[in-house]
């Protein structure tokens, strides 16, 4: 039964992560209709998570299991921990989770695991061993974004200058890896990567950061997640004339939507 449940959770997780793919569970994996899976993402408002939930719901319907979207309304460790605790109290069989802060949530996840709840990571893992992880290679994605920015700048005749980075925080695994990959793309160049500023994934905060970067004459801004990129784009609208003289925004939105399987079992 546990192996069948795990196979179903992995199928739901894979569909949710890939967005557009077909995954077939083996013929002997049949739901009883009683299986309950909690989907706990970093928040419930980013389009990335909304799309992920839509994919999970579609696959859950196919498999005959219940998936409940139990995510906080903002990127907040305490709220996400509360969601995990609610899943445990609610008798859920498995938790699919994208950890906002891998250290903060780990104790709650370990307690859930100790009670026999299966843990599967989507996008961003914590520090507790899980049954499977489905995620983008975020460092490689960041490097690709950096290479694309370099090409865009070179095409504009820009071979040096300051580049700003807007990240969520210093803890979220996926975003930290994207930043590392992005920075690596500029090793050995004449570009100066400025100190990272953190907007907590909030578009308004990220916009303020981007506007400050623009005032400092950056030639590029890299947003590490959806909210960061949205904020940078909004700053572009506000300071369009000044911005277009100096800078190019590269979004990671398309790249993070292409997820790959890192581990199963």
């Amino acid at each position: 039964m546990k192996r069948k449940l795990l196979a179903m959770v992995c199928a739901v997780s894979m569909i949710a992560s890939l967005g557009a793919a077909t995954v077939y569970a083996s013929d002997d994996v049949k739901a009883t209709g009683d299986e309950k899976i909690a989907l706990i993402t970093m928040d419930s408002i980013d389009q990335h998570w909304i799309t992920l939930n839509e994919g999970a719901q579609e696959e859950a319907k196919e498999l005959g299991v219940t998936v409940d979207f139990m995510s906080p309304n903002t990127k907040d460790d305490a709220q996400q921990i509360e969601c995990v605790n609610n899943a445990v109290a609610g008798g859920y069989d498995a938790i699919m989770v994208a950890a906002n802060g891998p250290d903060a949530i780990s104790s709650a996840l370990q307690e859930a695991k100790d009670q026999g709840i299966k843990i599967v990571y989507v996008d961003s893992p914590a520090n507790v061993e899980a049954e499977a992880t489905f995620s983008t290679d975020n460092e490689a994605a960041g490097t690709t974004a950096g290479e694309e920015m370099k090409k865009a700048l070179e095409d504009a005749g820009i071979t040096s200058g300051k580049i700003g980075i807007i990240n969520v925080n210093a803890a979220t695994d996926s975003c930290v890896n994207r930043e590392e990959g992005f920075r690596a793309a500029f090793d050995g160049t004449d570009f100066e990567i400025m100190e990272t500023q953190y907007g907590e994934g909030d578009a308004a905060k990220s916009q303020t950061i981007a506007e400050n970067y623009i005032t400092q004459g950056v030639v590029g801004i890299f947003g590490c997640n959806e909210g960061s990129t949205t904020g940078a784009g909004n700053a572009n609208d506000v300071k369009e004339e000044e911005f277009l003289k100096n800078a190019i925004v590269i979004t990671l939105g398309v790249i993070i939507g292409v997820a790959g399987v890192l581990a199963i079992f």
Side-chain angles (χ1 to χ4, degrees):
M1 176 60 189
K2 290 183 178 179
R3 191 171 183 82
K4 290 182 179 180
L5 172 63
L6 178 56
M8 286 186 285
V9 176
C10 286
V12 172
S13 301
M14 189 181 294
I15 283 289
S17 297
L18 295 177
T22 302
V23 179
Y24 298 98
S26 62
D27 291 339
D28 65 343
V29 179
K30 303 296 183 183
T32 66
D34 296 326
E35 296 86 359
K36 293 168 53 180
I37 303 169
L39 173 57
I40 303 174
T41 56
M42 296 180 193
D43 63 47
S44 58
I45 57 175
D46 280 2
Q47 187 58 49
H48 179 60
W49 304 128
I50 293 171
T51 301
L52 187 146
N53 178 51
E54 290 172 350
Q57 296 301 333
E58 289 178 8
E59 184 65 9
K61 185 177 181 180
E62 288 289 326
L63 293 172
V65 300
T66 298
V67 172
D68 289 325
F69 193 32
M70 301 174 63
S71 303
N73 57 19
T74 187
K75 291 179 177 63
D76 181 85
D77 289 334
Q79 288 189 35
Q80 195 174 48
I81 290 168
E82 183 179 359
C83 292
V84 172
N85 293 338
N86 288 340
V88 174
Y92 283 78
D93 301 293
I95 296 174
M96 299 187 298
V97 59
N100 184 52
D103 294 327
I105 199 175
S106 289
S107 292
L109 288 176
Q110 186 62 57
E111 290 177 9
K113 184 177 179 180
D114 290 344
Q115 294 193 38
I117 297 174
K118 299 295 184 183
I119 307 297
V120 172
Y121 294 126
V122 288
D123 186 65
S124 188
N127 299 324
V128 175
E129 185 176 355
E131 306 296 338
T133 299
F134 299 92
S135 175
T136 310
D137 183 338
N138 286 293
E139 186 170 353
T143 300
T144 299
E147 295 294 342
E148 288 298 316
M149 179 178 279
K150 279 197 301 184
K151 182 179 183 299
L153 290 169
E154 289 169 0
D155 289 348
I158 301 171
T159 57
S160 64
K162 298 178 180 179
I163 295 173
I165 295 179
I166 307 174
N167 209 332
V168 177
N169 53 46
T172 301
D173 184 81
S174 56
C175 294
V176 169
N177 290 337
R178 289 171 202 156
E179 180 182 335
E180 289 177 354
F182 180 82
R183 287 181 174 276
F186 287 88
D187 287 346
T189 70
D190 292 327
F191 291 99
E192 176 190 349
I193 306 297
M194 301 178 70
E195 182 177 353
T196 302
Q197 299 297 312
Y198 300 104
E200 301 175 2
D202 181 83
K205 293 179 181 178
S206 298
Q207 178 177 339
T208 299
I209 292 169
E211 290 174 357
N212 289 336
Y213 273 143
I214 294 169
T215 300
Q216 296 175 63
V218 296
V219 298
I221 298 174
F222 175 58
C224 293
N225 84 318
E226 182 179 328
S228 304
T229 302
T230 299
N234 291 342
N236 179 18
D237 293 338
V238 172
K239 290 181 170 283
E240 184 173 6
E241 182 176 351
E242 178 182 355
F243 188 66
L244 291 178
K245 291 179 181 177
N246 301 301
I248 299 171
V249 171
I250 297 295
T251 174
L252 197 59
V254 174
I255 298 172
I256 64 173
V258 182
V261 179
L262 294 183
I264 302 178
F265 298 99

